Amino acid sequence: MYTDKVMDHFTNPRNVGEIKDASGVGEVGNAKCGDIMRIYLDIEDDRIKDVKFKTFGCGAAIATSSMVTELVIGKTLKEALEVTNNTVAEALDGLPPAKMHCSNLAADAMHAAIQDYMKKEKVQA
Ligand code: FES
């Protein structure tokens, strides 16, 4: 049911952890399944220098969190904001339809972390 890429990111997730004094932190939860995802960003000169995540959730939520960190590291904020749940799901070679909401969580948490940074720094998108 899961692609090899999903299994790979689930069993060997990248960038797990947290960043002390992060530039931006985003947390989203899904009321239905109760899963929570938190993304930490280290931003320098409008670019994502480092990113870490903590996810309390299903395998797909962990795989999508891991993938989203790989997709945005090194990107500008504008480029990172263009990464959507579909980008994440496609990068994982697809998710079962019932699990698409899990990729939403990853993209939303990442966007929320960027917004948190912009609010703090009073940066315009
Ligand atoms: Fe909740 Fe996957 S079942 S994020």
Side-chain angles (χ1 to χ4, degrees):
M1 140 179 193
Y2 286 121
T3 65
D4 289 347
K5 276 200 187 158
V6 173
M7 291 311 292
D8 176 32
H9 279 265
F10 169 56
T11 50
N12 180 25
R14 309 348 176 225
N15 305 309
V16 178
E18 60 185 274
I19 297 174
K20 265 205 158 135
D21 305 319
S23 317
V25 181
E27 183 180 294
V28 292
N30 183 303
K32 271 196 203 142
C33 63
D35 294 347
I36 296 175
M37 191 177 289
R38 197 177 296 156
I39 299 249
Y40 302 82
L41 297 175
D42 184 8
I43 297 166
E44 216 179 272
D45 294 334
D46 202 41
R47 207 169 271 281
I48 296 174
K49 226 179 86 192
D50 197 12
V51 47
K52 295 263 186 281
F53 81 89
K54 273 194 171 169
T55 291
F56 306 92
C58 71
I62 290 166
T64 53
S65 313
S66 169
M67 180 51 91
V68 95
T69 63
E70 291 227 301
L71 285 172
V72 301
I73 200 156
K75 282 203 161 81
T76 64
L77 299 185
K78 190 169 174 282
E79 289 164 346
L81 284 169
E82 281 161 11
V83 172
T84 65
N85 60 328
N86 278 330
T87 323
V88 178
E90 275 168 25
L92 288 165
D93 293 336
L95 280 169
K99 288 285 172 183
M100 277 307 287
H101 75 272
C102 315
S103 63
N104 249 335
L105 225 52
D108 284 356
M110 183 267 293
H111 289 182
I114 292 178
Q115 271 145 20
D116 178 48
Y117 165 77
M118 287 176 157
K119 215 166 40 188
K120 278 199 276 195
E121 299 292 314
K122 300 199 173 33
V123 182
Q124 299 291 316

